[in-house]
Amino acid sequence: RIGRTFPKQRLRARVFGEYSFASGDRNPKDGTHGTFDQLYPNIHDHHGLADQIAWQNLKEVRGGLRVSLCRNWTLAGMYNDWYLASATDAFYNSSGSIVARDTTGLSGTHIGQELDGETSYRVNRQLEFGAGVGHIIPGSFLVHTHHGYGYTYPYVMMNYNFF
């Protein structure tokens, strides 16, 4: 992950880009599960706000911009682009379950893209409110494995810090 903050601007902004890789199983028929196993499945905002992507058999390019509109209010936009690390392994959802698999590897490797937007307002040190939306655009792999429909995930949130 690489990023840059521009603190001296009127709207303090941070731009970032990152690349993530999690290995896949090159030979799903050999009886050995070679896919990277994520230990903790809570990955909110690590691979998109829609929370549909696991860090398994994944190559991801991600970028975004976060702007502080005022001292306690932020606005952010992100872009995610996902590919299978191994075309013969599966696409896994955020809980680690298989969504789609083509053991022949002929369905391509492009899982899809996600566009995200979110905003949050911190009332004080303890209380924060926010809302966001993530929209997934299916790629060729999902289309060829009959999962080629978009998905939109809106949410609202409230965080309270006790300490």
Side-chain angles (χ1 to χ4, degrees):
R1 174 181 268 190
I2 188 167
R4 169 106 198 240
T5 302
F6 300 93
K8 305 260 185 206
Q9 304 300 320
R10 186 174 77 75
L11 299 175
R12 194 177 94 215
R14 177 164 181 79
V15 295
F16 73 89
E18 73 179 76
Y19 175 79
S20 296
F21 177 83
S23 63
D25 194 348
R26 292 186 185 158
N27 185 358
K29 297 177 182 177
D30 67 0
T32 302
H33 185 68
T35 304
F36 177 78
D37 187 12
Q38 64 182 17
L39 295 176
Y40 304 103
N42 183 2
I43 53 148
H44 181 69
D45 194 26
H46 291 281
H47 305 290
L49 293 176
D51 296 334
Q52 299 299 304
I53 306 296
W55 196 28
Q56 294 178 267
N57 192 32
L58 183 70
K59 292 191 278 186
E60 175 188 31
V61 176
R62 184 169 196 229
L65 171 68
R66 181 174 306 275
V67 177
S68 293
L69 300 173
C70 63
R71 185 171 180 252
N72 295 339
W73 185 19
T74 61
L75 182 65
M78 284 82 61
Y79 169 78
N80 303 277
D81 197 8
W82 308 296
Y83 292 83
L84 297 174
S86 172
T88 56
D89 195 3
F91 162 54
Y92 299 86
N93 67 14
S94 59
S95 66
S97 298
I98 293 174
V99 174
R101 174 181 274 165
D102 178 4
T103 56
T104 67
L106 299 176
S107 293
T109 60
H110 189 227
I111 300 166
Q113 303 166 62
E114 182 174 332
L115 302 171
D116 297 326
E118 71 177 339
T119 186
S120 67
Y121 182 77
R122 184 174 297 279
V123 177
N124 53 39
R125 289 181 63 196
Q126 284 79 36
L127 186 61
E128 178 183 13
F129 293 99
V133 64
H135 178 71
I136 295 176
I137 304 161
S140 60
F141 175 78
L142 290 177
V143 170
H144 289 107
T145 58
H146 308 291
H147 293 84
Y149 47 88
Y151 177 78
T152 302
Y153 178 74
Y155 71 92
V156 295
M157 65 139 185
M158 180 191 86
N159 284 331
Y160 187 83
N161 297 311
F162 291 97
F163 301 102

